[in-house]
Amino acid sequence: MEPKDTLIYLLRRDLRTADNPILHSLSTQKDLSFTHVLPLYIFNAQQLEVSGFVTEGEKSPYKEARSQVAGFWRCGPQRSKFLAESVWDLKKGLEKLGSGLCIRVGSTSDVVRELIPQLNGKPGLVVRAIWMVGEEGVEENREERAVRDICTEADVDFKLWNDEKYLIDDRDLPFNNIDELSDVFTTYRKTVEPIREHPRPALPVPEQDSLPGYPPLAEITPQFKPFAIPDTFQALIDALVKPLNAQDLVPEQLPYPAGTKSAHPFPGGEAEALERLDYIISSNAASNYHNTRNGLLGEDFSTKLSAYLALGSITARQIHAALVSFEDGTDTKFESAVGYGRGENEGTKAIRFELLWRDYMHLCNRKFGPKLFSLGGFKSDDEQRWTSPSNAGEQSPSDVRSIIERFTNGTTGMGLIDASLRELIHTGYTSNRARQNVASFLAKHLHIDWRIGAEWYECMLVDYDLSSNWGNWQYLAGVGNDPRGPTRIFNPVKQAFDYDPQGDYVKAWVPELRGLTEPSEIFQAWTMSDAKKSELGLKGKDWVEKPLLKIDFTVGRKGRNLGRGGRGGGGGDNRRGGGESRGGRGGGDSMGRGGPPRGGGYGGRGYGNTRGHVRSYGRGRGDGGGRELRMGMMDREAGAYAQYVVAQWAPTN
């Protein structure tokens, strides 16, 4: 019998066939000893809820996939659907190459531990090696070590490949030790300029039938019980969202606003990512990006490539290569676009800048490790200034829970913030500019534990990326690598006047306000007259009558300390709303199957033992939503370039 020396390629966030170093190596290096390759994707029970895959009458052996601080789902319905689309597209892409994709459910260590001996038990089949791409993150690193240890025990070779989905390859970094990475982005940026000259070439899609063969289906062992793998795309989505839809994400989710279109209607997958990339260049959206990147409504104000980048459905160097072909005039499919063949422009330059910021967040994750999830952040800052149900200070835990409930519901009473949060619930997306304001609002106006916001974004965003999300929340909370730290505070009313001057965005997602025409009332509904509140049916609504924050603001006013701030009516917290804060980028094993089903969290990130202390916030409505803040804000305009350098959130979102 012909031997089947098999390589297992374990995929995580490298869901593509093009610019894939592992597939490229397997298709071009004929001296490899493998006769077969088994691409394997595991829906990880630690990072998303898998009880929807359980066969009827059985129970999942894993704890619910809940966040560690607030008890949110680790992966909400919008991102779960996008992930399913991405995995299924990868499956189709591999099948076109003459290969396939084996899909499994469970913890990575459980699946690998059971799969190796089962495959080795098939006549002539021997698992020789497992390859996977290394990723940054506490859980991810533990997962890699667990797979390595299993391979050692089973006498199977193990190889961890470099993650090459970033703009600048690890081999080309301007330092040898990650501790040499500057804590200031601008310093790092200057060491790699000109950015356009640094990326390596993207790798082509392997030719059809160039990969080692896919093992015969009859020899691939089934999923271990009690899980069953769906055999259709729709059934896969249904299994992922079933447990999420069984419980309300928020206590009183509001209906989708009539007539409002999602800014991110795009399906997941490599094919969609490449189509989107071609579109933004040929439609001039890429060239206009520098001017439109602070937009709030529509599909084309930003690239919308971030979700694809997060899952590795496309790489930064693929984006760079496409931009170069447009700039140099070497790809005729872009010849109708304005600026074709005229070199780098402000828009394409800005896209590379965002990709570099994404790189930087990835490197900061590598440098700081578990500090990414620490309340004190990279700076090990004072943790006492943060409020949470377990550290309520002068307030009651129930009041703090009510504040968090209103935040996730999008009923804070601050128009721009509520619009963004409702958009997030309904679509899994919200813009760069809105994210900055939301993060600043929660962390620096309400002084709520910023990790609760980071976990909510992890749950809800389709473009959630570990490094970008947690690093950017730290940045906005003032505990990350923002040189201005706590002093950079966004005024969400002024920001609304600047970026949504007529209130179109707010009214799109907060339809209760569509009867208003005065922007100041749209942005802060409490300012409208009682008669108008009654006319619109808003009289008595907590988010109108008792907003979590009131800001004294008049267009064109430039003084400081325009109002006095107070916490819970106690006064004394006279915080200035701080210069027009242009900053901010506001997106283990312990994987054993045992444990109580609702214990939540795996402790894999090592950021405290307070997991679940917010989860009960939805059980009661509270009385008016806790404290009310009234704050005056000063407005200070920064230089245009300084705005550009510091005013972004998640790259190319």
Side-chain angles (χ1 to χ4, degrees):
M1 178 179 292
E2 182 181 351
K4 302 181 181 69
D5 293 333
T6 301
L7 164 72
I8 296 176
Y9 171 19
L10 177 55
L11 294 110
R12 294 188 292 177
R13 295 177 186 88
D14 43 337
L15 307 184
R16 64 188 182 278
T17 57
D19 200 19
N20 184 314
I22 290 181
L23 294 182
H24 181 74
S25 174
L26 290 170
S27 67
T28 58
Q29 296 185 27
K30 301 306 180 183
D31 57 342
L32 296 174
S33 59
F34 309 115
T35 61
H36 292 76
V37 59
L38 179 68
L40 170 67
Y41 183 82
I42 302 169
F43 285 102
N44 188 330
Q46 182 176 11
Q47 298 184 347
L48 55 83
E49 181 57 29
V50 297
S51 58
F53 292 92
V54 173
T55 54
E56 188 173 354
E58 299 288 339
K59 292 184 178 181
S60 173
Y62 298 106
K63 301 174 184 179
E64 286 187 327
R66 297 275 184 176
S67 66
Q68 199 163 335
V69 174
F72 302 134
W73 290 117
R74 290 286 301 275
C75 183
Q78 303 285 357
R79 184 155 66 90
S80 294
K81 181 175 180 290
F82 193 89
L83 175 62
E85 293 164 346
S86 302
V87 171
W88 204 260
D89 181 76
L90 174 66
K91 179 176 180 290
K92 292 192 296 184
L94 288 167
E95 288 170 350
K96 287 180 182 178
L97 298 179
S99 185
L101 181 65
C102 178
I103 298 175
R104 290 292 180 263
V105 171
S107 75
T108 299
S109 56
D110 283 345
V111 172
V112 171
R113 188 177 287 112
E114 294 205 13
L115 189 59
I116 292 175
Q118 288 176 350
L119 291 176
N120 283 340
K122 301 294 182 179
L125 195 154
V126 179
V127 176
R128 295 295 186 190
I130 294 181
W131 289 356
M132 62 193 299
V133 172
E135 295 180 4
E136 302 306 331
V138 175
E139 293 173 344
E140 290 72 15
N141 293 163
R142 285 202 181 115
E143 191 172 74
E144 292 155 11
R145 291 194 296 270
V147 174
R148 179 199 62 199
D149 292 345
I150 293 168
C151 287
T152 299
E153 294 170 4
D155 196 24
V156 170
D157 289 339
F158 174 75
K159 182 175 181 179
L160 195 65
W161 289 65
N162 287 336
D163 192 350
E164 297 189 28
K165 62 175 173 279
Y166 296 93
L167 189 65
I168 297 181
D169 193 278
D170 278 358
R171 293 164 288 186
D172 302 324
L173 291 172
F175 47 77
N176 296 317
N177 188 322
I178 191 61
D179 290 335
E180 299 173 24
L181 175 70
S182 173
D183 292 349
V184 178
F185 170 68
T186 303
T187 303
Y188 168 70
R189 172 178 57 81
K190 290 178 179 178
T191 66
V192 294
E193 290 181 327
I195 301 171
R196 191 178 187 271
E197 307 303 319
H198 274 75
R200 295 192 174 205
L203 302 171
V205 179
E207 295 182 3
Q208 188 174 10
D209 298 324
S210 63
L211 296 171
Y214 192 74
L217 293 177
E219 298 186 4
I220 300 176
T221 55
Q223 164 73 45
F224 61 72
K225 297 180 179 180
F227 302 105
I229 303 300
D231 56 6
T232 68
F233 170 56
Q234 188 58 51
L236 178 62
I237 292 179
D238 292 344
L240 284 168
V241 302
K242 178 181 177 181
L244 310 181
N245 290 338
Q247 303 177 27
D248 292 335
L249 281 172
V250 293
E252 296 181 22
Q253 182 169 326
L254 299 166
Y256 194 103
T260 298
K261 294 182 179 180
S262 170
H264 197 293
F266 311 107
E270 179 180 19
E272 294 287 345
L274 295 173
E275 181 178 332
R276 177 65 183 171
L277 176 59
D278 285 352
Y279 170 80
I280 64 170
I281 296 175
S282 59
S283 69
N284 301 319
S287 292
N288 292 330
Y289 175 73
H290 178 65
N291 298 321
T292 64
R293 59 192 166 79
N294 284 310
L296 299 170
L297 287 169
E299 297 178 9
D300 295 343
F301 62 80
S302 64
T303 71
K304 305 300 191 301
L305 292 173
S306 54
Y308 303 113
L309 284 163
L311 291 176
S313 297
I314 197 171
T315 67
R317 63 189 185 190
Q318 283 178 290
I319 298 170
H320 165 76
L323 294 176
V324 168
S325 69
F326 159 73
E327 294 162 341
D328 292 351
T330 57
D331 192 333
T332 56
K333 67 183 175 183
F334 300 135
E335 62 183 354
S336 62
V338 176
Y340 178 73
R342 299 177 190 170
E344 186 178 50
N345 59 44
E346 289 301 309
T348 57
K349 181 180 180 180
I351 291 173
R352 289 191 177 93
F353 181 96
E354 296 302 331
L355 292 171
L356 187 68
W357 175 263
R358 191 182 194 91
D359 279 17
Y360 182 66
M361 288 288 96
H362 159 75
L363 293 171
C364 286
N365 186 359
R366 182 183 301 174
K367 178 177 180 178
F368 294 107
K371 285 187 176 182
L372 191 68
F373 311 104
S374 168
L375 183 56
F378 298 158
K379 298 179 178 179
S380 300
D381 204 5
D382 175 24
E383 298 188 358
Q384 297 305 310
R385 58 191 173 103
W386 304 105
T387 302
S388 68
S390 63
N391 183 33
E394 299 174 357
Q395 304 175 85
S396 69
S398 63
D399 276 350
V400 178
R401 290 191 184 96
S402 183
I403 292 171
I404 297 167
E405 174 184 329
R406 288 179 59 176
F407 174 81
T408 57
N409 272 340
T411 53
T412 69
M414 186 63 64
L416 179 61
I417 304 304
D418 289 343
S420 175
L421 289 166
R422 295 189 196 187
E423 178 186 24
L424 181 65
I425 292 172
H426 289 305
T427 71
Y429 180 84
T430 191
S431 73
N432 165 27
R433 177 57 54 178
R435 295 183 201 197
Q436 297 174 63
N437 278 276
V438 168
S440 179
F441 182 80
L442 183 73
K444 290 181 175 175
H445 288 299
L446 302 183
H447 312 297
I448 297 293
D449 183 339
W450 62 269
R451 298 173 301 174
I452 294 170
E455 288 185 347
W456 185 239
Y457 271 20
E458 177 177 355
C459 172
M460 299 304 298
L461 284 171
V462 294
D463 63 355
Y464 168 75
D465 173 87
L466 171 68
S467 301
S468 294
N469 184 67
W470 287 85
N472 287 325
W473 269 91
Q474 285 205 8
Y475 192 102
L476 265 296
V479 298
N481 46 15
D482 178 6
R484 286 174 55 186
T487 66
R488 191 189 305 277
I489 306 175
F490 279 71
N491 178 340
V493 180
K494 182 183 186 303
Q495 290 273 303
F497 273 107
D498 285 347
Y499 299 104
D500 188 29
Q502 301 306 313
D504 294 336
Y505 172 70
V506 174
K507 290 194 289 185
W509 292 106
V510 188
E512 301 97 311
L513 303 177
R514 289 179 180 175
L516 298 174
T517 58
E518 173 57 47
S520 62
E521 296 176 346
I522 297 169
F523 303 147
Q524 295 193 102
W526 64 271
T527 63
M528 76 177 87
S529 67
D530 287 344
K532 195 170 290 186
K533 292 175 187 176
S534 297
E535 178 186 345
L536 296 177
L538 299 176
K539 186 74 172 173
K541 296 281 187 181
D542 279 351
W543 63 273
V544 176
E545 307 285 4
K546 300 177 182 179
L548 297 183
L549 174 68
K550 291 182 178 180
I551 294 179
D552 293 323
F553 179 81
T554 303
V555 177
R557 197 168 168 186
K558 294 187 177 181
R560 298 190 181 191
N561 294 329
L562 304 180
R564 306 295 286 179
R567 297 188 68 181
D573 186 22
N574 300 323
R575 300 169 189 257
R576 290 181 308 193
E580 186 34 353
S581 37
R582 298 286 177 177
R585 325 283 256 209
D589 200 350
S590 297
M591 292 188 287
R593 296 195 225 165
R598 294 179 70 87
Y602 289 76
R605 288 175 169 170
Y607 56 105
N609 57 6
T610 56
R611 179 250 171 257
H613 70 216
V614 175
R615 186 176 169 192
S616 62
Y617 69 76
R619 306 302 183 220
R621 292 199 58 188
D623 183 18
R627 69 186 175 196
E628 173 189 299
L629 304 183
R630 188 180 185 99
M631 302 180 69
M633 309 292 288
M634 74 173 184
D635 305 305
R636 182 176 61 208
E637 298 298 333
Y641 184 73
Q643 293 176 23
Y644 174 65
V645 170
V646 300
Q648 307 309 299
W649 173 268
T652 64
N653 66 14

